[in-house]
Amino acid sequence: MLVVVIITFAVIFAINSSIHSFLVVNYASKDKVAVSVGFYYMSNAVGRLFGTIGSGLLYTFVGDEANDFSGNDAVAGLASCFLAGTLSSLLAALITLKIEDQKSGLKCGKCCTIVGREEEVE
């Protein structure tokens, strides 16, 4: 079962990563593609760093102290990490809904249009 979960996560992560890369290149100015891609990867790395530090602090300091030897309650710390991750994902989704770009649209394969292409007015 664990192998199925890991493979599923890897496939979803690969698809998500390729969509992000496409969007970065698609939205970049023609003369600044390298700068835009570099900024994307730098921002991604900083976000992962802050996420790692933040989840480590949450895991360490949330929950009642169990005893002198084991530190804080691990279940409460892990639950707080999941809650913070969920809230961060919801915030990102809400911010994404505010993006208004209908120039090129975004398709998922040949059959599913996530965002339709804006018709050009002549």
Side-chain angles (χ1 to χ4, degrees):
M1 180 65 177
L2 181 62
V3 173
V4 172
V5 171
I6 291 172
I7 290 172
T8 303
F9 175 80
V11 168
I12 292 171
F13 187 84
I15 292 169
N16 192 26
S17 180
S18 64
I19 290 173
H20 284 164
S21 297
F22 164 75
L23 291 173
V24 168
V25 172
N26 189 42
Y27 287 122
S29 300
K30 300 294 182 207
D31 57 339
K32 295 184 179 184
V33 173
V35 172
S36 295
V37 170
F39 183 76
Y40 166 73
Y41 283 109
M42 180 185 68
S43 301
N44 197 344
V46 169
R48 289 175 189 260
L49 174 66
F50 286 157
T52 301
I53 291 170
S55 64
L57 289 171
L58 282 173
Y59 183 80
T60 302
F61 294 112
V62 169
D64 295 330
E65 189 167 325
N67 59 43
D68 292 337
F69 299 107
S70 65
N72 290 349
D73 181 16
V75 173
L78 191 59
S80 68
C81 290
F82 281 123
L83 179 63
T86 301
L87 292 176
S88 297
S89 296
L90 289 173
L91 178 63
L94 289 173
I95 291 170
T96 303
L97 291 175
K98 296 292 183 184
I99 297 174
E100 292 186 25
D101 178 28
Q102 304 300 328
K103 287 190 297 191
S104 58
L106 179 61
K107 289 185 173 262
C108 184
K110 293 182 179 182
C111 62
C112 181
T113 301
I114 296 170
V115 178
R117 183 177 184 159
E118 183 180 80
E119 297 298 325
E120 293 187 27
V121 178
E122 293 182 31

